[in-house]
Every structure is written in structure tokens, then in C-alpha cells.
Amino acid sequence: MATNRLVIFNDTHGWHSEQLTRSLSQLGVDAVLTDLAACRIDLDSPTGLYIPGLDNELPAAAMVRGIAPGFLEQITLRMDVLHTLAELGIPVFNPATAIEYTVDKARTSLRLHQAGLSTPRTWACEDSSMAKHIITRELNMGNKIVMKPLFGCQGKGITLIEELGQFEQLAPVGEAYYLQEYIAPEKEGIWQDWRLLVIDNEVCAAMSRRSNKWITNFAQGASCFATTVTEDMKQLAIKATAAVNADYAGVDLIRDKDGHFTVLEVNSVPAWKGLYQATGVDVAMHLAQALIRRIEQKQATHAL
């Protein structure tokens, strides 16, 4: 095993990989940067896997920072690599199960609901007539509906439906409808939510995101500010991370007009540039230290 080398998976390595590589180097661990799409199942290898840059050895641990879009078959092969690494005893951060639970928004909603956590009312289906029925019913009750791609990030492709005519003009991505209750802001015209980064059952950093439009993602131009975290917020974020089997996650919370927090989304490969700029917290070092702890725990177990 390549005991002093850790692999970071991403399809586009940039600022986040540089931050992680720097932090790991300070802790005495080298990082190999590669793409899951470049890996392969190869039964000529003793492990059955080939990972570029590791000379047919296994990494000490693996960090998943991104998985490129692809066909079902391509995604399946990439997840096969992550599942196999875990089966071979390699710490994978986050594990494949966490990614599977969070890349699919419907699955995330189900996991949160089954864990008894507060999350917006949600519906997912393939039947356009059923989707129309749900939206019509909710609009008639005075509620607005957010329609999102089942697979999506950074606020891209989401629509706020305020009247039925909007829905009739929309084409669902992949012929699947993911519909979520719209949570109105506490103060009219001021949209705000909170991103809490959880690592190993602790909130590492937190920020509020504010915007003059209803989409509050950093990538969509929202302003980010350091924020205090109440115990309720902390526990909700930690429990949401555990509900999707994640070691670390970016948990998005929103507060309704009654002052209650609810979980909007859980991201198992969260970016943290906005969080770093808002708080100054060295998230990469926190992640690197968590990875080192896993490597040391594994080595200690093998030494017994």
C-alpha cells in the first residue's frame, strides 16, 4: 500500500485541490490528483483496480471532490471504484453511499424525512399529470412550488412556480419532476439561508448567504457573511449529515416565517471558497486532519 500517498478525485482540479494538497503536505502526506473517469477495473492488478499515479498500489485514503456528469454506465463504473476501495479497507471521504444519497435530491429528501428531520414538503414523480395535479393543488392553497433538476447543484436549473402556466412551459430534466415547497423569507424581499460545514460530527464553519433574489447560492452571486450558530442549527446540521451517511457535508438551512429552521439540501462534495472568504476558517486543513485521523486509525488497527 502507498502509505504516504492519498488520492483526490475530481474531474477538474483547481483551488480546492490546491488547498487540500497544501494542507496534506504540511501534515506529511502527498496527494495524487486524478479523475474517477481515468480509473479502471483491471483484474490483472492484484487489487482489481488501476488508479493513475499510484503505480498499481492502493492509496492510504481517498478524497472525493467531484464526479463528472456522464451516462449511467459511466457513473456506475466510477462508483464501483469507490465501493471497491472501501471494501478493500481504504478510508473514502465521502463514501460512495453518501454520494448516492445526496446526488439524488429525492433520495436526500427521503433520508431526511425518514430520520425525522425538518425538511420542506417534497414530491418526486415521472408522471406529468401527477406533477400538474400536485402543483395545482398547492397553488390553490396559496403555496408556491420550487421545481429542481433531480441531479443539480449551485442553484442551476431551478424555477419558482407561482402560477400553473409556468409549469406548462417547463420541460423536466430527464423526464423526472422534483417539486419542493417554497419557504417564504422571514422578511419580504430579503432572502437568506445558512450553510454549515460539518466534519466528523462537528460544525467546522458556518456562514449566512443573503441575496436580493430568491436563489441564494454563492455561485449565483449571493453575499456571504460569517454567522453565529445556535445549538438547534448545529444539531440539525449534524443529524442531517449523519442521515446521508456522510463524513463531511455542507448543510443548507433556511428559517421560515415562524423562526423554525429546516434542511433545504445536503451536499456531500461541498465547495468552501465562499465559506473561507466569509469566515477565514481553513476548511482544507480541517479536512486534511480528518483524513489523517482515518489513516492513523487504520494503521493502528492493522498493527494489533
Side-chain angles (χ1 to χ4, degrees):
M1 177 181 293
T3 55
N4 212 37
R5 288 190 291 177
L6 179 152
V7 64
I8 301 174
F9 293 120
N10 205 347
D11 56 314
T12 53
H13 290 281
W15 183 85
H16 290 84
S17 293
E18 291 170 3
Q19 293 286 304
L20 283 167
T21 300
R22 175 202 55 127
S23 297
L24 288 164
S25 177
Q26 291 175 6
L27 298 174
V29 175
D30 295 327
V32 174
L33 308 185
T34 190
D35 185 350
L36 277 167
C39 301
R40 67 176 182 265
I41 293 170
D42 188 341
L43 300 193
D44 285 337
S45 165
T47 65
L49 293 178
Y50 173 80
I51 299 173
L54 288 179
D55 305 319
N56 281 322
E57 292 184 318
L58 290 174
M63 177 81 176
V64 183
R65 280 297 315 140
I67 300 175
F71 293 107
L72 175 62
E73 291 83 356
Q74 293 174 303
I75 300 298
T76 298
L77 282 175
R78 296 166 196 170
M79 300 308 287
D80 286 345
V81 172
L82 297 182
H83 279 298
T84 302
L85 283 172
E87 289 162 1
L88 291 170
I90 304 302
V92 180
F93 205 73
N94 271 313
T97 51
I99 295 169
E100 290 165 350
Y101 286 152
T102 56
V103 71
D104 171 359
K105 287 182 170 58
R107 191 76 164 111
T108 306
S109 294
L110 279 168
R111 295 289 297 183
L112 294 171
H113 178 71
Q114 290 168 348
L117 302 178
S118 176
T119 193
R121 295 164 60 232
T122 300
W123 307 265
C125 64
E126 298 180 42
D127 187 341
S128 61
S129 62
M130 177 55 67
K132 182 176 180 179
H133 169 74
I134 293 167
I135 292 170
T136 301
R137 181 192 68 205
E138 293 301 312
L139 291 175
N140 287 340
M141 294 170 60
N143 301 324
K144 300 175 185 178
I145 293 294
V146 179
M147 182 168 161
K148 303 179 181 181
L150 200 61
F151 309 121
C153 62
Q154 299 182 334
K156 297 175 182 177
I158 69 176
T159 302
L160 178 61
I161 300 175
E162 302 179 82
E163 56 183 35
L164 191 59
Q166 289 177 271
F167 170 72
E168 293 172 340
Q169 299 299 315
L170 293 173
V173 177
E175 299 301 318
Y177 298 88
Y178 178 85
L179 309 171
Q180 197 168 59
E181 171 191 13
Y182 171 69
I183 306 297
E186 291 180 275
K187 296 181 180 179
E188 193 65 34
I190 302 176
W191 285 269
Q192 180 178 17
D193 66 4
W194 288 261
R195 162 60 66 91
L196 279 64
L197 189 72
V198 177
I199 303 175
D200 284 346
N201 295 312
E202 295 287 342
V203 174
C204 164
M207 67 180 177
S208 65
R209 300 180 294 197
R210 302 171 200 165
S211 178
N212 58 5
K213 57 183 180 180
W214 71 278
I215 299 176
T216 55
N217 294 75
F218 174 67
Q220 298 282 350
S223 299
C224 301
F225 304 89
T227 187
T228 55
V229 177
T230 66
E231 188 63 24
D232 286 346
M233 294 169 69
K234 176 181 176 181
Q235 291 304 316
L236 190 55
I238 291 172
K239 290 175 182 177
T241 301
V244 297
N245 198 35
D247 297 307
Y248 81 106
V251 182
D252 294 341
L253 305 181
I254 195 168
R255 189 163 55 192
D256 62 24
K257 289 185 175 181
D258 295 326
H260 299 133
F261 285 99
T262 189
V263 182
L264 276 179
E265 292 189 9
V266 184
N267 189 331
S268 65
V269 285
W272 63 83
K273 197 168 192 177
L275 193 61
Y276 172 72
Q277 291 172 353
T279 67
V281 173
D282 190 350
V283 173
M285 180 56 75
H286 283 277
L287 288 169
Q289 290 170 340
L291 284 162
I292 298 303
R293 284 195 296 271
R294 279 161 176 72
I295 294 171
E296 291 174 345
Q297 289 167 0
K298 182 175 182 296
Q299 291 172 342
T301 300
H302 282 182
L304 295 177

